[in-house]
Amino acid sequence: MAPTTLVLCLGAVLITCISGGTASASGIRVKLSHIDAKGSYTAEERVRRAVAVSRQRLASMRASGGGGVSAPVHWATRQYIAEYLVGDPPQRAEALIDTGSDLIWTQSTACLRKVCERQDLPYFNASASGSFAPVPCRDRACAANDVHFCALDGSCTFQSGGAALAFGCVSFTQLRPAALHGASGLIGLGRGRLSLVSQTGATKFSYCLTPYFHNNGASSHLFVGAAASLGGSDPVTSMPFVESPKDYPYSTFYYLPLVGITVGKTKLPIQSSVFDLRRREEGFWEGGVIIDSGTPFTSLVEDAYNPLTEELSRQLNGSLVPPPGGDDGGMSLCVARGDLDSLVPMLVFHFSGGADMTLHPENYWAPLDKSTACLAIFEGFDQSIIGNFQQQNMHLLFDVGEGRLSFQTADCSTV
């Protein structure tokens, strides 16, 4: 995907969370919907759509020639949508939520014909908003974006709790078709200075994602600022983030200190250095492990993926069945769905400092048809990613101020 062209501006435009969301001094609480929620997809169809997205992302990474993860590549994988109001009087908008991006933006009526994505709601009309104001090209808000262009006029911003935020109004895009999934734009939760977290002055955010297939209509939720916390009786596990590089786009991501993997009772023969973040040359990095709200399935670099699949094959042995339709997008290890809970072992990700993330079979195997479930972890390129399928029914707290990730198992339909 080519870059998105944005016009940034600053003013006092109100953002209001809707569909059950709230914004106040106690923080922001936003209801999230999965991109497939608007369609009448079966569980198997949802998995195949997620497989297609994951394969497209991995293919894009390989095609980039090993240049590491870039913002354009990351675009293929955003999965959750928040609805909000922007402007005065307020106009409805929908945004894809992404921990791997920094910018906050929406498509606007300034879009030239056929150069913006189709969206389900009307484009934002900046001229109809009484709080519209442009950001001068030399403003710090423009400089905060590593890649930006100057325009003759500006667009839009929003505020929450009295803080004016830089907000992008898109007048021209070059996106992969249907990249927005009908949404109006994006809300970035990354580490950059223009993300929602940074601009609101929040030092933490959290989210809890309901299961793909058995959520009974319940929504996932995002919490920003004071609203972000963990609670309940389930134990909390914490770990430090790995320090992110200063180079963009790597500076955006949340890197985790993964050091090993256990399948059932067997610790895999993987050197912890396999997961290290490495500087390849000036401005370019490879390796590392990021946690991402926008990528469907986890991917592991070859030296971790191969030992994982070999051990699963050894333990499951005679219980493995052929994948429906052959090797379906890399999902080659499959079992009968009725055997999933009784035969498939637990998977544990080990992090430095003794933190463990335990995944039950339903969090790393997915149904491909009515009788078959397959391993929902892919072989990655030069970087490992913990995707949102593996984060189901887990409440994750990103404490950016303290530099730590904490999490606990949770019934996300009640959070």
Side-chain angles (χ1 to χ4, degrees), residues 73 105 108 175 198 209 219 246 253 271 317 337 349 396 414:
V73 168
W105 58 266
S108 73
L175 303 176
S198 298
L209 305 179
S219 296
K246 303 301 182 184
F253 306 129
Q271 296 293 322
N317 196 10
R337 287 180 68 170
F349 289 145
L396 296 108
T414 64

Side-chain angles (χ1 to χ4, degrees), residues 120-153:
D120 296 335
L121 297 173
Y123 291 134
F124 176 71
N125 186 351
S127 64
S129 173
S131 50
F132 169 83
V135 165
C137 188
R138 295 181 181 276
D139 191 276
R140 292 175 60 187
C142 282
N145 185 24
D146 291 83
V147 180
H148 66 275
F149 303 93
C150 297
L152 296 178
D153 54 7

Side-chain angles (χ1 to χ4, degrees), residues 310-324:
E310 289 167 5
E311 180 60 26
L312 283 169
S313 297
R314 186 190 69 80
Q315 292 190 25
L316 296 172
N317 196 10
S319 300
L320 292 173
V321 300

